[in-house]
Amino acid sequence: MAHNAAVSEFFDPGPCCSCNSLAILHLRRDDVIATKVSNKDDEGQGYDEGQVTNTRFGSFPHSTLIGLPWGSQVRASKVDTGSRGRRGKSNKRKRVSDSMVEKTAARGEANPLLFKTAEEAATGFLHLLPPTPEAWTNSLPHRTQVVYTPDYSYVLHRLRVRPGSKVIEAGAGSGSFSHAAARAVFNGFDQTTCGHVYSFEFHKERFGKMKAELGGHGLQSTVSINHRDVYEEGFHVYADMHVDAVFLDLPSPWLAIRHLRRSFDPSLLLTDDSSKSVLSLTKPVHLCIFSPCIEQVQRAITALIDMNWTDIEMVELNHKRVEVRREKVGIEETKGAISSPASVEEAVIRQEKVESKFRDFHQGAASLVKEKRTKQVKRPSSTSAFKEGRLVHRSEPDLKTHTSYLVFAILPRAPMGTADPVGKYGKPDTPLG
């Protein structure tokens, strides 16, 4: 399928890595780097090879990434890391016009007149992966506590978020949940019914960085980020929100819950916008509150009960990986083997070897007497190497993801012709149907 330039690279990255696209450099498990691929020296690094990403496994010029299919293994290159910042006014290299650079950028190539060809190094490699919410969560700059993949995947499932859904996210933070929710609501087959994520962030600096990231990732048409105090001003920003899912990642979620109702008591209104409901009038609304402290959970549940939310439930996720491997035991020099005797005979032979070295050393003839060759115990090789050893499994000793308490609740859809479920605040402004 051809790459659609109008669609975010998180939805359709295309078959290959192109210039100005976001790429995930996979070094090893849980060790990834997100980088914007460029055929220019945008950061002014001063390398002869152009833009370069340096890792613990070597240096990787972006010219070696452009045009490669996603999933390719990329070898490191020889880069003179000591040449940074040395090129200034005395640079004698041939200059090219901006129009020439733009032409080569359109073809997804590095300009041969601008940078020298990278030379492959003897060691070091990584894998080139397309951007996904999971990879972005592992590589994003941490501005706040991050909602990790085990949490947000379960949250999106419980909130029943699907293509076409409209979601409110309060407390955008680092943007991990925003990217996952954007992919969940996106409907690539029918743009007229594509869902939307309404994200809110109170901190001005985080709001600015989040807005820039969403624009750079092409998600501005799917995610709307708003700088707003939802405690006081509520969620009403657009006329046709009518969301069916709400995710609150706030220090005091009970102050925001009072704005999540289908009808209001005029005596409780704080602003004109807060008098308009943002919830769907025709669908049940599913809500999730992400809270690290049990005291927050208690106050939030009390507020939900007062607002007549139903099916209230608290969940705690403990995510651990289970590693399955074959454990080889023996003193043979085998990769991955545990250096301990596999049998009594092997232990006796090893002990005799140690005692022989000890005796020769104390007799002063350690450098003259040849080391006695001991007979190595050879095991039958009737099975393949990958089948040798004992099959064992171990779980991770510690939780590597921050787990908070998840509170779920549902505001059901009212039957036709009846009052709103939050009956003490009156009927909704528009008929239910």
Short mmCIF file of all heavy atoms in Angstrom, two decimals, residues 143-180:
data_model
loop_
_atom_site.label_atom_id
_atom_site.label_comp_id
_atom_site.label_asym_id
_atom_site.label_seq_id
_atom_site.Cartn_x
_atom_site.Cartn_y
_atom_site.Cartn_z
N ARG A 143 8.36 13.94 30.70
CA ARG A 143 8.04 15.22 31.33
C ARG A 143 7.25 15.01 32.62
O ARG A 143 7.30 15.85 33.52
CB ARG A 143 7.25 16.10 30.36
CG ARG A 143 8.03 16.49 29.11
CD ARG A 143 7.25 17.44 28.24
NE ARG A 143 6.16 16.77 27.55
CZ ARG A 143 6.27 16.23 26.34
NH1 ARG A 143 7.43 16.28 25.71
NH2 ARG A 143 5.24 15.65 25.77
N THR A 144 6.51 13.93 32.67
CA THR A 144 5.73 13.57 33.85
C THR A 144 5.74 12.06 33.98
O THR A 144 6.39 11.35 33.20
CB THR A 144 4.28 14.06 33.74
OG1 THR A 144 3.67 13.45 32.58
CG2 THR A 144 4.20 15.56 33.61
N GLN A 145 5.00 11.54 34.93
CA GLN A 145 4.78 10.11 35.04
C GLN A 145 4.15 9.60 33.75
O GLN A 145 3.22 10.20 33.21
CB GLN A 145 3.85 9.84 36.22
CG GLN A 145 3.26 8.45 36.27
CD GLN A 145 2.22 8.33 37.37
OE1 GLN A 145 2.46 8.74 38.49
NE2 GLN A 145 1.06 7.80 37.04
N VAL A 146 4.64 8.49 33.23
CA VAL A 146 4.21 7.98 31.93
C VAL A 146 3.22 6.84 32.13
O VAL A 146 3.41 5.97 32.99
CB VAL A 146 5.43 7.50 31.11
CG1 VAL A 146 4.99 6.85 29.81
CG2 VAL A 146 6.36 8.67 30.82
N VAL A 147 2.16 6.85 31.32
CA VAL A 147 1.24 5.72 31.28
C VAL A 147 1.82 4.70 30.30
O VAL A 147 1.87 4.94 29.09
CB VAL A 147 -0.17 6.16 30.83
CG1 VAL A 147 -1.13 4.97 30.84
CG2 VAL A 147 -0.69 7.25 31.75
N TYR A 148 2.28 3.57 30.81
CA TYR A 148 2.98 2.59 29.98
C TYR A 148 2.00 1.68 29.24
O TYR A 148 0.79 1.67 29.52
CB TYR A 148 3.94 1.76 30.82
CG TYR A 148 5.15 2.52 31.28
CD1 TYR A 148 5.19 3.12 32.55
CD2 TYR A 148 6.25 2.69 30.46
CE1 TYR A 148 6.29 3.84 32.97
CE2 TYR A 148 7.37 3.40 30.87
CZ TYR A 148 7.38 3.97 32.13
OH TYR A 148 8.47 4.69 32.54
N THR A 149 2.54 0.91 28.31
CA THR A 149 1.72 0.07 27.42
C THR A 149 0.80 -0.89 28.16
O THR A 149 -0.37 -1.02 27.79
CB THR A 149 2.63 -0.68 26.44
OG1 THR A 149 3.39 0.26 25.67
CG2 THR A 149 1.81 -1.56 25.50
N PRO A 150 1.26 -1.61 29.21
CA PRO A 150 0.33 -2.52 29.90
C PRO A 150 -0.89 -1.80 30.48
O PRO A 150 -1.98 -2.37 30.50
CB PRO A 150 1.20 -3.12 31.02
CG PRO A 150 2.60 -3.01 30.52
CD PRO A 150 2.63 -1.74 29.74
N ASP A 151 -0.70 -0.56 30.92
CA ASP A 151 -1.81 0.20 31.49
C ASP A 151 -2.74 0.74 30.41
O ASP A 151 -3.95 0.52 30.46
CB ASP A 151 -1.29 1.34 32.35
CG ASP A 151 -0.69 0.86 33.66
OD1 ASP A 151 -1.28 -0.03 34.28
OD2 ASP A 151 0.38 1.36 34.05
N TYR A 152 -2.18 1.45 29.42
CA TYR A 152 -3.08 2.10 28.47
C TYR A 152 -3.76 1.11 27.53
O TYR A 152 -4.86 1.37 27.04
CB TYR A 152 -2.39 3.24 27.70
CG TYR A 152 -1.34 2.88 26.68
CD1 TYR A 152 -1.61 2.08 25.57
CD2 TYR A 152 -0.05 3.41 26.79
CE1 TYR A 152 -0.64 1.81 24.63
CE2 TYR A 152 0.92 3.15 25.84
CZ TYR A 152 0.62 2.34 24.76
OH TYR A 152 1.59 2.07 23.82
N SER A 153 -3.15 -0.03 27.27
CA SER A 153 -3.83 -1.03 26.44
C SER A 153 -5.06 -1.59 27.15
O SER A 153 -6.12 -1.78 26.55
CB SER A 153 -2.87 -2.16 26.07
OG SER A 153 -2.36 -2.79 27.22
N TYR A 154 -4.92 -1.82 28.48
CA TYR A 154 -6.06 -2.31 29.26
C TYR A 154 -7.11 -1.21 29.41
O TYR A 154 -8.32 -1.49 29.34
CB TYR A 154 -5.58 -2.78 30.62
CG TYR A 154 -6.66 -3.34 31.50
CD1 TYR A 154 -7.24 -4.57 31.23
CD2 TYR A 154 -7.12 -2.64 32.61
CE1 TYR A 154 -8.24 -5.09 32.04
CE2 TYR A 154 -8.12 -3.13 33.42
CZ TYR A 154 -8.68 -4.38 33.13
OH TYR A 154 -9.67 -4.87 33.93
N VAL A 155 -6.67 0.02 29.60
CA VAL A 155 -7.61 1.14 29.75
C VAL A 155 -8.43 1.32 28.47
O VAL A 155 -9.67 1.46 28.52
CB VAL A 155 -6.85 2.43 30.10
CG1 VAL A 155 -7.78 3.65 29.99
CG2 VAL A 155 -6.27 2.34 31.50
N LEU A 156 -7.78 1.33 27.32
CA LEU A 156 -8.50 1.50 26.06
C LEU A 156 -9.49 0.35 25.82
O LEU A 156 -10.58 0.55 25.25
CB LEU A 156 -7.50 1.59 24.90
CG LEU A 156 -6.64 2.85 24.87
CD1 LEU A 156 -5.56 2.74 23.79
CD2 LEU A 156 -7.49 4.09 24.62
N HIS A 157 -9.12 -0.84 26.27
CA HIS A 157 -10.03 -1.98 26.14
C HIS A 157 -11.26 -1.79 27.03
O HIS A 157 -12.40 -1.99 26.58
CB HIS A 157 -9.29 -3.26 26.51
CG HIS A 157 -10.19 -4.43 26.77
ND1 HIS A 157 -10.92 -5.04 25.79
CD2 HIS A 157 -10.48 -5.09 27.93
CE1 HIS A 157 -11.63 -6.03 26.31
NE2 HIS A 157 -11.38 -6.07 27.61
N ARG A 158 -11.04 -1.39 28.29
CA ARG A 158 -12.15 -1.23 29.21
C ARG A 158 -13.04 -0.03 28.84
O ARG A 158 -14.24 -0.04 29.10
CB ARG A 158 -11.63 -1.07 30.64
CG ARG A 158 -11.05 -2.33 31.25
CD ARG A 158 -12.14 -3.37 31.51
NE ARG A 158 -13.19 -2.86 32.41
CZ ARG A 158 -13.18 -3.00 33.72
NH1 ARG A 158 -12.16 -3.64 34.31
NH2 ARG A 158 -14.16 -2.54 34.46
N LEU A 159 -12.44 1.00 28.24
CA LEU A 159 -13.22 2.15 27.81
C LEU A 159 -13.94 1.90 26.48
O LEU A 159 -14.70 2.75 26.02
CB LEU A 159 -12.33 3.39 27.66
CG LEU A 159 -11.70 3.93 28.95
CD1 LEU A 159 -10.88 5.18 28.65
CD2 LEU A 159 -12.76 4.23 29.99
N ARG A 160 -13.66 0.75 25.88
CA ARG A 160 -14.29 0.36 24.61
C ARG A 160 -14.02 1.39 23.52
O ARG A 160 -14.90 1.73 22.71
CB ARG A 160 -15.80 0.16 24.79
CG ARG A 160 -16.14 -0.90 25.82
CD ARG A 160 -17.60 -1.19 25.88
NE ARG A 160 -17.90 -2.19 26.93
CZ ARG A 160 -19.11 -2.68 27.18
NH1 ARG A 160 -20.14 -2.27 26.48
NH2 ARG A 160 -19.28 -3.57 28.14
N VAL A 161 -12.80 1.87 23.48
CA VAL A 161 -12.40 2.83 22.45
C VAL A 161 -12.15 2.08 21.15
O VAL A 161 -11.41 1.09 21.12
CB VAL A 161 -11.14 3.60 22.88
CG1 VAL A 161 -10.70 4.57 21.79
CG2 VAL A 161 -11.41 4.36 24.18
N ARG A 162 -12.74 2.55 20.09
CA ARG A 162 -12.63 1.90 18.78
C ARG A 162 -12.66 2.98 17.70
O ARG A 162 -12.90 4.16 18.01
CB ARG A 162 -13.77 0.91 18.58
CG ARG A 162 -15.15 1.50 18.79
CD ARG A 162 -16.20 0.41 18.90
NE ARG A 162 -17.53 0.95 19.12
CZ ARG A 162 -18.04 1.26 20.31
NH1 ARG A 162 -17.30 1.10 21.38
NH2 ARG A 162 -19.27 1.72 20.42
N PRO A 163 -12.40 2.62 16.44
CA PRO A 163 -12.45 3.64 15.38
C PRO A 163 -13.78 4.38 15.36
O PRO A 163 -14.85 3.77 15.34
CB PRO A 163 -12.26 2.81 14.10
CG PRO A 163 -11.46 1.63 14.53
CD PRO A 163 -11.93 1.32 15.93
N GLY A 164 -13.69 5.70 15.42
CA GLY A 164 -14.89 6.52 15.46
C GLY A 164 -15.24 7.04 16.84
O GLY A 164 -16.10 7.92 16.97
N SER A 165 -14.60 6.53 17.89
CA SER A 165 -14.89 6.98 19.26
C SER A 165 -14.35 8.39 19.49
O SER A 165 -13.38 8.81 18.86
CB SER A 165 -14.28 6.02 20.28
OG SER A 165 -14.84 4.74 20.20
N LYS A 166 -14.98 9.08 20.43
CA LYS A 166 -14.51 10.39 20.86
C LYS A 166 -14.11 10.28 22.33
O LYS A 166 -14.90 9.82 23.15
CB LYS A 166 -15.59 11.45 20.67
CG LYS A 166 -15.91 11.72 19.20
CD LYS A 166 -16.92 12.85 19.05
CE LYS A 166 -17.20 13.16 17.59
NZ LYS A 166 -18.16 14.28 17.44
N VAL A 167 -12.88 10.71 22.63
CA VAL A 167 -12.28 10.47 23.94
C VAL A 167 -11.80 11.79 24.53
O VAL A 167 -11.23 12.63 23.83
CB VAL A 167 -11.10 9.48 23.84
CG1 VAL A 167 -10.53 9.17 25.21
CG2 VAL A 167 -11.53 8.20 23.14
N ILE A 168 -12.03 11.96 25.83
CA ILE A 168 -11.44 13.06 26.58
C ILE A 168 -10.27 12.51 27.38
O ILE A 168 -10.40 11.50 28.06
CB ILE A 168 -12.47 13.71 27.53
CG1 ILE A 168 -13.39 14.66 26.76
CG2 ILE A 168 -11.77 14.49 28.64
CD1 ILE A 168 -14.44 15.33 27.62
N GLU A 169 -9.13 13.21 27.29
CA GLU A 169 -7.96 12.88 28.11
C GLU A 169 -7.58 14.13 28.90
O GLU A 169 -7.23 15.16 28.31
CB GLU A 169 -6.78 12.44 27.24
CG GLU A 169 -5.53 12.15 28.05
CD GLU A 169 -4.26 12.18 27.22
OE1 GLU A 169 -4.31 12.69 26.07
OE2 GLU A 169 -3.21 11.71 27.72
N ALA A 170 -7.65 14.06 30.21
CA ALA A 170 -7.28 15.19 31.05
C ALA A 170 -5.97 14.86 31.76
O ALA A 170 -5.89 13.89 32.52
CB ALA A 170 -8.38 15.48 32.07
N GLY A 171 -4.93 15.66 31.49
CA GLY A 171 -3.59 15.39 32.01
C GLY A 171 -2.75 14.71 30.95
O GLY A 171 -2.38 13.55 31.08
N ALA A 172 -2.45 15.45 29.86
CA ALA A 172 -1.74 14.85 28.73
C ALA A 172 -0.32 14.42 29.12
O ALA A 172 0.16 13.38 28.67
CB ALA A 172 -1.69 15.84 27.56
N GLY A 173 0.37 15.24 29.94
CA GLY A 173 1.70 14.87 30.41
C GLY A 173 2.69 14.68 29.29
O GLY A 173 2.95 15.58 28.49
N SER A 174 3.24 13.48 29.20
CA SER A 174 4.26 13.17 28.19
C SER A 174 3.67 12.71 26.86
O SER A 174 4.42 12.52 25.90
CB SER A 174 5.22 12.11 28.73
OG SER A 174 5.90 12.58 29.87
N GLY A 175 2.38 12.47 26.80
CA GLY A 175 1.74 12.13 25.53
C GLY A 175 1.69 10.66 25.20
O GLY A 175 1.33 10.31 24.08
N SER A 176 2.00 9.79 26.13
CA SER A 176 1.97 8.36 25.85
C SER A 176 0.55 7.89 25.55
O SER A 176 0.30 7.25 24.52
CB SER A 176 2.54 7.58 27.04
OG SER A 176 2.39 6.19 26.86
N PHE A 177 -0.39 8.21 26.42
CA PHE A 177 -1.78 7.79 26.20
C PHE A 177 -2.38 8.48 24.98
O PHE A 177 -3.20 7.90 24.26
CB PHE A 177 -2.61 8.09 27.44
CG PHE A 177 -4.03 7.61 27.34
CD1 PHE A 177 -4.37 6.30 27.65
CD2 PHE A 177 -5.04 8.48 26.95
CE1 PHE A 177 -5.68 5.85 27.54
CE2 PHE A 177 -6.35 8.04 26.84
CZ PHE A 177 -6.67 6.72 27.14
N SER A 178 -1.97 9.72 24.71
CA SER A 178 -2.52 10.46 23.57
C SER A 178 -2.24 9.74 22.26
O SER A 178 -3.12 9.63 21.39
CB SER A 178 -1.93 11.88 23.53
OG SER A 178 -2.13 12.55 24.74
N HIS A 179 -1.01 9.25 22.09
CA HIS A 179 -0.65 8.56 20.85
C HIS A 179 -1.39 7.24 20.73
O HIS A 179 -1.84 6.86 19.63
CB HIS A 179 0.86 8.32 20.80
CG HIS A 179 1.65 9.56 20.51
ND1 HIS A 179 1.85 10.56 21.43
CD2 HIS A 179 2.31 9.95 19.38
CE1 HIS A 179 2.59 11.52 20.90
NE2 HIS A 179 2.89 11.18 19.66
N ALA A 180 -1.53 6.51 21.84
CA ALA A 180 -2.23 5.23 21.78
C ALA A 180 -3.72 5.44 21.49
O ALA A 180 -4.32 4.70 20.69
CB ALA A 180 -2.05 4.48 23.10
#
